[in-house]
Amino acid sequence: MINNSISAEDRNGLKSRLQLSYCKVRVTRENIESINKVSMALDNRIRRVDVNIDDIIGSDIYLILGGGVRYVRNKDELNKNLPEVDWNKLLNEIDEHFG
């Protein structure tokens, strides 16, 4: 998981840069920890998925980023004006800030 002892300035800067964007993620057992890492970095808590995880393994979800992290399972539920952030670039940026 990530180090929570980061400065509020670093966390807020990352939130500001990612405000009103989204990223597409394929849910696998291997990347659940990475999804939690994103949630911890932007929301300072793990976002609990309100479905049986076995039901969404192999599915795409869309993480809405910014002031926190929300997710939707259907791309049609996204605001069409939100820019997409590359998943791997997002993880790299989080690793740079939160080690």
Side-chain angles (χ1 to χ4, degrees):
M1 206 42 76
I2 68 172
N3 178 358
N4 278 327
S5 63
I6 58 147
S7 72
E9 183 177 325
D10 285 342
R11 185 181 309 279
N12 290 337
L14 184 62
K15 285 181 182 183
S16 293
R17 280 192 303 287
L18 295 171
Q19 189 69 33
L20 298 176
S21 62
Y22 77 94
C23 66
K24 178 180 172 180
V25 182
R26 171 75 43 138
V27 179
T28 65
R29 294 202 183 282
E30 293 77 25
N31 75 0
I32 289 173
E33 186 172 333
S34 294
I35 293 169
N36 287 337
K37 180 191 291 189
V38 169
S39 184
M40 285 295 295
L42 297 176
D43 211 11
N44 204 24
R45 64 186 173 117
I46 294 173
R47 171 64 79 193
R48 297 289 176 206
V49 177
D50 60 359
V51 297
N52 182 342
I53 197 72
D54 292 327
D55 292 343
I56 62 171
I57 293 291
S59 299
D60 292 329
I61 62 171
Y62 301 89
L63 299 178
I64 303 169
L65 309 170
V69 177
R70 294 184 306 120
Y71 74 94
V72 295
R73 293 179 63 185
N74 183 341
K75 189 173 183 177
D76 293 336
E77 295 177 36
L78 287 174
N79 179 326
K80 305 295 185 234
N81 296 318
L82 297 179
E84 184 172 1
V85 174
D86 179 81
W87 175 243
N88 291 318
K89 288 181 181 177
L90 174 63
L91 292 177
N92 288 337
E93 184 169 3
I94 288 172
D95 285 343
E96 286 175 15
H97 284 86
F98 301 98

